[in-house]
Amino acid sequence: MYEDPTFATSASPMPRMKVNVVLSDIDNPYFLVDEWYSKEELEGVWKEIDFLTDFKKFQLDDEQLLSVNLDDSYNNKNISNILSYRYKEKLELFANQVDRSFPEGTAQDFMKCKNINSKLCYFHQAMGQSDNKTTDKFVSYLFLYKKENVFTGGDMLLQNHKVKLHNHRQVFFPGEYSRRVTPIIFSDPKRTLGHGLYLIKTTYN
């Protein structure tokens, strides 16, 4: 793994981020972005998440995850903070990161993706994601949680490579990669709704 300073320039229109490209398996690269949102954006995202956190609003999707399909939920996508902040993925800076992390020309394929869909998923006690892969061209997983040391687990296994859970971390990879998320186990016996693990899952086709 190596750190890429792509987003670490003050001239960048994007907030400062820490980008790590993982090349432990040269045939299956991916990259991580820590602190994807700015402080102000993150506050807006949490307001939206708090509003949506209700077992009546979550439904089991085709991957058996409790989720809310954000694109289907808003007629006007500008109402959603989460959907509004997807503009970053279409900046040239992000495309350049894709090209540096994957075989040359991959960024062109990524920029051609017009069908983009985001879901807010939630993991509560003993919930995780079983081994899965899809036909999506690209996928990003963005993990968020409210408090440290409330639960264990939540690590991602991507092509059998462990991606340790880190708050506010995005993982970007091709959809054909196998992935799963280990179940979370609360250390707090109250198991308060909303104190589990959130995942913003975005697919690009």
Side-chain angles (χ1 to χ4, degrees):
M1 174 167 22
Y2 73 91
E3 184 175 349
D4 194 312
T6 308
F7 300 136
T9 62
S10 59
S12 168
M14 304 177 74
R16 292 175 181 270
M17 303 175 184
K18 182 178 180 181
V19 180
N20 285 299
V21 181
V22 183
L23 297 173
S24 52
D25 181 351
I26 197 67
D27 294 324
N28 298 286
Y30 60 93
F31 66 85
L32 315 174
V33 183
D34 290 337
E35 299 179 21
W36 174 251
Y37 297 121
S38 68
K39 181 180 178 182
E40 293 76 17
E41 289 171 342
L42 188 59
E43 289 175 356
V45 166
W46 273 116
K47 286 180 181 178
E48 183 172 356
I49 289 176
D50 287 340
F51 170 74
L52 293 172
T53 299
D54 186 331
F55 281 130
K56 295 179 182 178
K57 296 176 182 176
F58 286 110
Q59 296 182 339
L60 279 177
D61 64 13
D62 53 1
E63 297 177 33
Q64 296 302 298
L65 298 178
L66 280 179
S67 68
V68 177
N69 190 316
L70 299 176
D71 286 272
D72 289 347
S73 299
Y74 298 99
N75 289 326
N76 180 358
K77 292 180 173 49
N78 292 325
I79 294 175
S80 166
N81 291 319
I82 295 171
L83 298 183
S84 297
Y85 299 149
R86 288 196 310 209
Y87 77 91
K88 298 180 178 183
E89 297 153 4
K90 289 303 181 182
L91 293 177
E92 184 179 356
L93 228 58
F94 193 84
N96 290 342
Q97 181 63 58
V98 172
D99 245 359
R100 272 195 292 273
S101 306
F102 301 98
E104 186 176 353
T106 302
Q108 294 181 354
D109 292 337
F110 174 70
M111 295 301 286
K112 290 177 182 176
C113 293
K114 302 300 181 185
N115 183 10
I116 303 174
N117 182 269
S118 294
K119 293 181 178 181
L120 175 66
C121 307
Y122 178 68
F123 301 93
H124 203 61
Q125 173 67 9
M127 297 178 66
Q129 181 186 30
S130 58
D131 195 51
N132 178 59
K133 61 174 62 176
T134 61
T135 58
D136 299 300
K137 289 185 178 179
F138 303 98
V139 179
S140 70
Y141 275 21
L142 176 59
F143 295 96
L144 293 166
Y145 52 87
K146 286 190 173 182
K147 295 182 178 180
E148 299 283 348
N149 303 318
V150 174
F151 60 81
T152 58
D155 296 318
M156 184 180 186
L157 293 174
L158 188 61
Q159 294 288 84
N160 293 319
H161 184 273
K162 184 177 179 179
V163 181
K164 188 172 178 57
L165 178 63
H166 181 75
N167 199 9
H168 200 183
R169 165 169 286 172
Q170 184 195 60
V171 188
F172 184 89
F173 55 93
E176 64 184 6
Y177 284 12
S178 65
R179 65 269 193 183
R180 65 186 179 94
V181 177
T182 60
I184 72 163
I185 303 297
F186 279 102
S187 51
D188 181 355
K190 293 181 180 179
R191 301 176 182 175
T192 305
L193 178 64
H195 286 191
L197 175 63
Y198 289 94
L199 165 64
I200 299 175
K201 179 180 64 173
T202 302
T203 56
Y204 312 83
N205 294 286

